[in-house]
Amino acid sequence: MLDCTKLLCGTTRAADALRYRERGEGPTDMLRYALDKRPVVVWNLTRRCNLRCVHCYASAQERGEAAEVSLEEGRRFLQDLADFGCPVVLFSGGEPLLHPHLGELVAAAGRLGLRAVLSTNGTLITPEKARELQAAGIAYVGVSLDGQEATNDRFRGKAGAFREALRGLRNCAKAGIKVGLRFTVTRHNVADLGPTLDLLRIEPVARLCVYHLVYAGRGHDLVHEDLTHDQTRAAVTLIFGKTEQFHREGLDKEILTVDNHTDAPFLLRRLWERDDPLAENAQTLLRYNGGNNSGIAIAAVDWNGHVHPDQFWQHRSLGNVRERPFAEIWTDLSDPLLAALKHRRPHLKGRCRDCRFLDICNGNFRVRAELVYGDVWAPDPACYLTDREIGVS
């Protein structure tokens, strides 16, 4: 996750992050700079969903799995996360609002000191549901949109999904919940990126997260629908430009990019090329963050209790929280994939191994390399910087 607003506009200083690294305490937006990182856990509560999005990494479906984690199992799992020191649990799906015990689990997380956030398509958030979420203690709701109305509804497989999602996020805002937008960019909706960014001017949202496509779930079939490298550069340049424009205008919004760590050196090169005094601060913060944290500071647990290195590794289970505590699974380096992800540099191959920006990218997404090349340690095919730009001859 790259916080474009903080890095391009200087709203966070390296000294702030350094104090957090040394003391191990601070606001949640400083978590990415911690030395001893406990993972943010994406909990895919249910596989059930009311939509059928073409890029769904969970391959969600109309009906959930018969053996989904029960309420009592869920409470024990949350206790395990709290005992381990996990700072955040992100309730996801499928569509988590279809889970019968979402409110109870959110409240349980809050009582245990876990920050509870929600990832949703937004279409089911009525005013009553928004008030329930607020009462349960939800800290943040991210609502997914994938373009303007026609584009979004085609992606989501339902006419009216765009308007329902906007109603949902407005209901959250009225209930006093911090809310943001999530946009996954592909060749088919990249033209809608600019207008979606401009929604920050008119909608009551605190942030916009732009997600790069990761080839997993139904997204596996979208490998050839991803942006070309030139299209990606243009899209990220647009995001950076809008970020700086909004800051100049005094618009207090956050813009982030997610799931392609090439964005970090691309941002740094932008600052270098114009001799920006913010470059040194940005480079320090990016080094603190360390790049891709799959298997390190991000984990995923699915509806059946299987633990994954992140939410896109649904095909690789590290263990099951019904059988062993999460902390035991997450620290068990007898699993070769987990051990290698935590200490991946010796395993990386090709241009990733030799990249001058390895300390701020960490080899990007290994799951993309596995799907495209059949090798977890091959270069990430979504890296859009040239060999010259990354210092590889």
Side-chain angles (χ1 to χ4, degrees), residues 43-47 58 61 64-70 73-74 77 99 300-308 314 317 319-324 329:
W43 186 8
N44 298 103
L45 272 179
T46 180
R47 198 174 184 184
Q61 53 198 17
E65 297 281 338
E68 291 181 353
V69 173
S70 69
E73 289 172 326
F77 168 56
H99 193 280
V301 177
D302 67 26
W303 40 85
N304 291 323
H306 294 290
V307 178
H308 310 281
Q314 298 289 319
S317 176
N320 194 294
V321 297
R322 286 169 157 162
E323 300 166 0
R324 290 195 294 164
I329 296 170

Side-chain angles (χ1 to χ4, degrees), residues 40-292:
V40 170
V41 178
V42 178
W43 186 8
N44 298 103
L45 272 179
T46 180
R47 198 174 184 184
R48 186 183 175 198
C49 190
N50 60 317
L51 301 181
R52 189 169 176 81
C53 306
V54 296
H55 57 306
C56 179
Y57 67 78
S59 295
Q61 53 198 17
E62 187 176 352
R63 295 184 179 182
E65 297 281 338
E68 291 181 353
V69 173
S70 69
L71 176 59
E72 286 308 311
E73 289 172 326
R75 286 173 173 158
R76 287 196 298 272
F77 168 56
L78 291 171
Q79 183 68 63
D80 288 344
L81 297 186
D83 291 343
F84 189 46
C86 294
V88 177
V89 57
L90 189 159
F91 292 93
S92 187
E95 173 48 57
L97 286 167
L98 290 172
H99 193 280
H101 303 299
L102 174 63
E104 295 167 271
L105 292 168
V106 168
R111 289 193 296 269
L112 292 166
L114 294 162
R115 185 172 187 262
V117 300
L118 180 69
S119 175
T120 173
N121 62 46
T123 61
L124 303 177
I125 305 178
T126 62
E128 294 75 20
K129 181 58 69 175
R131 289 192 291 269
E132 289 175 15
L133 290 170
Q134 193 279 333
I138 203 75
Y140 173 80
V141 173
V143 175
S144 295
L145 283 181
D146 289 301
Q148 297 302 287
E149 187 166 0
T151 306
N152 179 81
D153 290 358
R154 184 173 65 253
F155 262 66
R156 298 275 160 188
K158 180 187 177 184
F162 179 84
R163 297 186 183 187
E164 291 172 2
L166 287 181
R167 279 198 297 268
L169 72 86
R170 291 166 188 162
N171 288 334
C172 285
K174 288 177 183 177
I177 301 171
K178 183 179 179 181
V179 64
L181 284 172
R182 300 156 55 92
F183 177 96
T184 300
V185 62
T186 73
R187 292 187 189 185
H188 296 293
N189 67 356
V190 66
D192 289 7
L193 176 58
T196 302
L197 283 158
D198 286 331
L199 285 175
L200 292 176
R201 299 181 183 278
I202 59 175
E203 295 296 341
V205 295
R207 62 163 50 165
L208 171 64
C209 296
V210 181
Y211 287 75
H212 294 268
L213 189 63
V214 181
Y215 320 138
R218 282 196 289 272
H220 178 285
D221 298 325
L222 294 180
V223 174
H224 302 295
E225 307 304 322
D226 200 358
L227 302 183
T228 66
H229 289 175
D230 286 345
Q231 287 174 319
T232 304
R233 295 174 78 105
V236 177
T237 298
L238 172 63
I239 293 165
F240 290 169
K242 284 283 190 179
T243 300
E244 293 167 335
Q245 179 185 348
F246 289 166
H247 182 70
R248 288 193 300 269
E249 295 174 359
L251 190 63
D252 186 21
K253 307 282 187 175
E254 287 182 299
I255 299 177
L256 303 94
T257 66
V258 189
D259 293 344
N260 191 336
H261 299 279
T262 309
D263 294 350
F266 193 58
L267 181 147
L268 192 57
R269 288 179 57 85
R270 180 184 180 92
L271 295 175
W272 283 344
E273 286 167 1
R274 65 191 187 201
D275 199 23
D276 195 308
L278 291 174
E280 183 178 356
N281 183 70
Q283 185 168 15
T284 300
L285 291 172
L286 290 169
R287 283 175 172 162
Y288 285 174
N289 173 254
N292 181 272

Side-chain angles (χ1 to χ4, degrees), residues 373-392:
Y373 300 121
D375 184 348
V376 172
W377 305 111
D380 184 336
C383 176
Y384 53 88
L385 292 180
T386 66
D387 285 353
R388 181 176 181 180
E389 288 171 323
I390 67 173
V392 176

